[in-house]
């Protein structure tokens, strides 16, 4: 199991370097911009859940994206404690020119699999991710 996970990690690291070199964005930054594009507006806590990060870890990434003009924060008019995140035009441009989040050859190979096998691969990846979640009594 570890060897398979290591091969996946290695492939992801190689692609992450390629993404940064070609598009100037990390996979996480690209994922955040994609979520913002789909959602139109979302709170930081909602975004943190969608990208599987703590709000503390997400905060630094949001600061970097905001400093580059790719996203904006807007205070909620009714609840001033709440901030909404939205994609700026520069963020949309970055998404248009960025390489795909997953390599095209991976997506092509995935699409060639029979439907049952695509479902099995996805289910296996989701289950593997769940296995790494800390039991509730160990969470900080």
């Amino acid at each position: 199991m570890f060897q398979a996970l290591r091969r996946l990690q290695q492939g992801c690291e190689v692609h992450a370097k390629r993404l940064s070199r070609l598009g100037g964005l990390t996979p996480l930054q690209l994922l955040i911009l994609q979520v913002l594009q789909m959602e139109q507006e979302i709170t930081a806590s909602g975004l943190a859940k969608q990208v599987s990060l703590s709000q503390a870890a997400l905060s630094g990434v949001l600061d970097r994206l905001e400093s580059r003009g790719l996203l904006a924060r807007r205070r909620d008019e009714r609840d001033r404690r709440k901030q909404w995140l939205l994609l700026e035009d520069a963020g949309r441009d970055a998404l248009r020119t960025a390489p795909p989040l997953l390599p095209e050859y991976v997506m092509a190979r995935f699409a060639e699999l029979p439907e049952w096998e695509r479902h099995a691969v996805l289910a296996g990846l989701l289950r593997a991710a769940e296995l790494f979640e800390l039991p509730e009594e160990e969470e900080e």
Side-chain angles (χ1 to χ4, degrees), residues 15 18-20 22-24 30 34 94-102:
H15 186 62
R18 183 174 178 272
L19 274 177
S20 292
L22 296 178
L30 185 54
Q34 287 178 351
L95 282 172
R96 271 193 293 278
T97 60
L101 191 52
L102 292 173

Side-chain angles (χ1 to χ4, degrees), residues 58-69:
L58 180 63
S59 180
V61 180
L62 293 177
D63 289 344
R64 286 188 288 285
L65 291 171
E66 185 178 31
S67 72
R68 292 175 59 185

